[in-house]
Amino acid sequence: MKLLFFDIDGTLITEDKRRLLPESAAEAIKAARTKGHKAFINSGRTRVNIPKYICDVGFDGMVCGCGLYISEGDRVLYNHKLDRELCYDIARHLREWDIHAMFEHECLTCFDKDMMDDRAAWITDTLKYFISLGGKVVDDIESGDFLFDKFTAWYYDGNAHIDEFYDYVSRYFNPIRHGTSFAECVPLGHSKATGIDYLIKYYGVTKEDVYVFGDSNNDMDMMTCVPHSIAMGNSSPEILEVAMYVTDTVENDGIKKALEHFELV
């Protein structure tokens, strides 16, 4: 039995507005499970923002929010939560520092309505997408419903508070930088790799029994924690550099080709 871990955006589905999940990927994952292997989603997305059409492919469990939530079937194995007062404190600091953010919780998505302006178009577009999935959205950081497990932050070049932001956030989070103006902030001690480590121990297998599939910088920890790391053809340069094997792009049946290459189907 092998454990297979799949990122979502850019790995299982395209990152354009189509968010296409190739039929070849779905069929190959089903075939791998038929052979006795176990397949898991391993995503930066929190549980609420994983679409049904992805779940319907058939997975044995999920690692969500970069290791914050781990499940097997309907059973939750691990679920890390932040203190509510820390959530309020972070949101208020971001407002003072003119840093836009989307706050992600297992059951909902939050944002600060007072920070929404023409500069925050990416947040608006993402929220529309998450709302289309049926998730709850909270727009008031002073609300009793406001809560998050992780957050993503975006800022402008020249913002005078960037060093202050990273100094403060790094006390509680690992800020994963995507480019020069975007950071995905995950609570310390958690990553896609910690989720894999948990399930390695849970199933009593070794790292040699694990295959990971990813494409972006928040996949770095899982790509470097096991020998069998597969980068999609559309991966970032950093991921392509560390991967054991590079397959084709999402659209060109990259998942199927990789599973066939390693004789997992």
Side-chain angles (χ1 to χ4, degrees):
M1 177 185 74
K2 308 299 183 184
L3 304 185
L4 317 177
F5 292 87
F6 300 88
D7 172 52
I8 293 179
D9 298 284
T11 300
L12 284 177
I13 66 174
T14 59
E15 289 197 287
D16 56 25
K17 290 186 178 181
R18 296 176 301 160
R19 295 185 172 90
L20 172 69
L21 193 161
E23 186 63 27
S24 64
E27 292 303 319
I29 291 169
K30 291 174 184 175
R33 295 181 71 215
T34 298
K35 287 191 68 171
H37 306 309
K38 292 191 178 293
F40 293 84
I41 287 171
N42 197 350
S43 177
R45 294 190 187 208
T46 52
R47 177 66 184 87
V48 70
N49 291 322
I50 297 180
K52 183 178 182 298
Y53 74 90
I54 292 177
C55 297
D56 287 346
V57 170
F59 290 93
D60 295 280
M62 298 184 185
V63 178
C64 301
C66 291
L68 299 176
Y69 173 100
I70 304 171
S71 68
E72 179 192 47
D74 294 329
R75 181 187 176 197
V76 178
L77 303 176
Y78 179 81
N79 196 1
H80 179 269
K81 293 299 173 188
L82 294 176
D83 178 77
R84 189 180 295 273
E85 287 306 314
L86 176 61
C87 293
Y88 288 141
D89 192 49
I90 290 169
R92 290 164 185 156
H93 273 85
L94 294 180
R95 180 186 287 179
E96 293 171 9
W97 295 334
D98 192 32
I99 293 175
H100 294 78
M102 184 170 63
F103 305 97
E104 302 165 81
H105 182 268
E106 172 198 346
C107 301
L108 51 87
T109 305
C110 302
F111 67 101
D112 184 354
K113 63 184 177 183
D114 292 343
M115 288 290 292
M116 299 301 289
D117 53 33
D118 292 342
R119 301 174 301 168
W122 72 273
I123 297 179
T124 302
D125 290 343
T126 304
L127 286 171
K128 287 179 180 177
Y129 168 61
F130 286 161
I131 290 171
S132 75
L133 301 180
K136 179 180 179 181
V137 172
V138 173
D139 65 1
D140 182 0
I141 68 170
E142 304 297 339
S143 165
D145 291 332
F146 179 77
L147 192 61
F148 61 90
D149 302 325
K150 63 187 283 277
F151 70 97
T152 52
W154 185 84
Y155 46 85
Y156 293 95
D157 291 339
N159 187 313
H161 300 286
I162 297 308
D163 290 342
E164 192 176 1
F165 162 71
Y166 278 110
D167 178 67
Y168 173 78
V169 167
S170 296
R171 301 175 200 172
Y172 311 101
F173 297 84
N174 173 31
I176 305 167
R177 301 198 189 200
H178 298 261
T180 60
S181 60
F182 180 76
E184 181 178 10
C185 299
V186 180
L188 291 174
H190 296 84
S191 69
K192 292 185 177 184
T194 64
I196 290 171
D197 287 341
Y198 185 103
L199 289 167
I200 285 174
K201 294 174 184 177
Y202 182 80
Y203 286 107
V205 299
T206 68
K207 288 188 175 183
E208 287 71 24
D209 296 315
V210 176
Y211 293 75
V212 301
F213 300 74
D215 71 290
S216 66
N217 289 358
N218 73 354
D219 296 318
M220 183 63 72
D221 286 339
M222 78 168 181
M223 298 293 281
T224 56
C225 78
V226 297
H228 302 299
S229 56
I230 297 96
M232 305 303 292
N234 45 272
S235 296
S236 69
E238 294 84 355
I239 294 298
L240 291 172
E241 184 176 342
V242 301
M244 169 199 181
Y245 179 78
V246 179
T247 186
D248 214 326
T249 62
V250 181
E251 298 96 322
N252 291 328
D253 305 325
I255 294 293
K256 176 185 177 181
K257 290 174 180 177
L259 290 174
E260 289 177 341
H261 173 81
F262 288 102
E263 299 181 348
L264 296 168
V265 294

